[in-house]
Amino acid sequence: MPQQTILTVEDDAAIRRGVVDALTYAGYTALEAGHGEEGCQMALRREFDLLLLDMVLPGKTGLEILREVRNVKPTLPVIILSARGEENDRVSGLRLGADDYVVKPFSVNELLARVDAVLRRSPSRPSDVEEVMFVGGRVDFARCEVQFSDGERVELSEREQQLLRYLARHAGRTVPRQELLENVWQIDARGVSTRTVDMHVARLREKLRDDSENPALLMTVRGRGYMLAQSLS
């Protein structure tokens, strides 16, 4: 089973550090943010399995973040982190679709137990994409190669395979370059100016025989990003 990823949005550095350390020790991959705006952007753009969300944050409140997340990721598990005396916020959060809440101060064991319980009763992510069919061939992600109907096979690099698989998992929508950098390259893309995504897409197009004579599998959405355009899988 793939390692599950949890995003913690908490402005108190000591609490956030303790939560992240506990999650990491328990075997989770931990993402973190200490500001409401940053946390909201990460929650909307990054891929993860559960959100631990403080209610009182600078820049954007936990309720505002939860409202935006529910619009984009309606089934994402969310646990509210709240202080004593914030009962109204907890109630509002639960009404907006939070799955559970933990009142500060809390023990590590209580937090991990609630995380485990929410993850167990939440629907699992859709199964990963194993192949992409296109006119004249298929992409086999297990073998990291493109297989054409004329018998030719073209090997994909690990990064090319990750990039194409991410686009395949999000087929039907435009994926911004920043989202690709954050989820495929695993870097903080804020303020980063690079052509690496475009260069990898160009190489993928060559390997997929994407040209004027063949229907395009990878579509460029000008000024926005890329979309898997003509997948038959």
Side-chain angles (χ1 to χ4, degrees):
M1 180 178 179
Q3 191 175 48
Q4 291 175 300
T5 301
I6 297 175
L7 169 61
T8 301
V9 183
E10 164 63 63
D11 66 321
D12 187 305
I15 294 177
R16 188 173 70 252
R17 185 74 263 149
V19 169
V20 168
D21 288 347
L23 292 171
T24 302
Y25 184 77
Y28 297 103
T29 297
L31 305 174
E32 60 180 294
H35 190 277
E37 291 287 353
E38 176 192 16
C40 188
Q41 290 302 310
M42 289 184 70
L44 297 176
R45 292 176 178 170
R46 298 295 293 268
E47 286 203 335
F48 56 97
D49 298 282
L50 183 143
L51 173 62
L52 293 176
L53 181 62
D54 187 22
M55 285 288 93
V56 180
L57 294 162
K60 192 181 287 279
T61 69
L63 289 177
E64 291 172 326
I65 294 172
L66 181 56
R67 188 175 289 109
E68 292 192 37
V69 167
R70 275 290 166 258
N71 286 333
V72 177
K73 301 178 178 181
T75 64
L76 177 72
V78 178
I79 296 178
I80 291 171
L81 306 178
S82 69
R84 298 187 191 281
E86 295 174 7
E87 182 178 353
N88 288 338
D89 282 344
R90 290 198 298 276
V91 171
S92 297
L94 293 170
R95 286 175 176 167
L96 281 173
D99 298 88
D100 201 353
Y101 67 89
V102 181
V103 177
K104 305 174 191 176
F106 49 79
S107 71
V108 167
N109 288 337
E110 179 190 4
L111 177 65
L112 293 177
R114 290 182 181 272
V115 165
D116 180 65
V118 168
L119 286 173
R120 276 191 287 108
R121 66 174 182 256
S122 299
S124 58
R125 279 188 188 174
S127 58
D128 206 354
V129 178
E130 298 300 329
E131 65 176 17
V132 169
M133 306 295 294
F134 61 95
V135 174
R138 65 189 285 265
V139 179
D140 186 333
F141 289 116
R143 293 178 177 271
C144 275
E145 66 180 17
V146 185
Q147 302 167 358
F148 292 98
S149 54
D150 62 10
E152 182 183 0
R153 293 171 180 258
V154 178
E155 184 178 353
L156 297 176
S157 71
E158 182 65 22
R159 187 70 76 193
E160 290 165 348
Q161 181 266 137
Q162 292 171 347
L163 173 58
L164 187 56
R165 174 175 268 176
Y166 190 87
L167 291 169
R169 289 172 62 189
H170 297 271
R173 75 173 178 89
T174 302
V175 181
R177 290 173 178 83
Q178 180 172 336
E179 181 178 335
L180 291 169
L181 286 170
E182 291 175 344
N183 289 286
V184 177
W185 275 262
Q186 296 293 314
I187 63 174
D188 185 346
R190 290 173 299 174
V192 173
S193 178
T194 175
R195 299 287 295 173
T196 189
V197 174
D198 307 275
M199 291 166 53
H200 277 77
V201 169
R203 285 198 291 268
L204 272 174
R205 282 179 169 148
E206 289 181 7
K207 292 185 176 182
L208 292 166
R209 300 179 182 175
D210 248 3
D211 55 38
S212 59
E213 297 181 4
N214 292 301
L217 181 63
L218 292 175
M219 174 183 285
T220 301
V221 182
R222 190 173 298 278
R224 295 177 59 193
Y226 295 99
M227 177 188 292
L228 192 71
Q230 186 257 324
S231 171
L232 303 179
S233 62

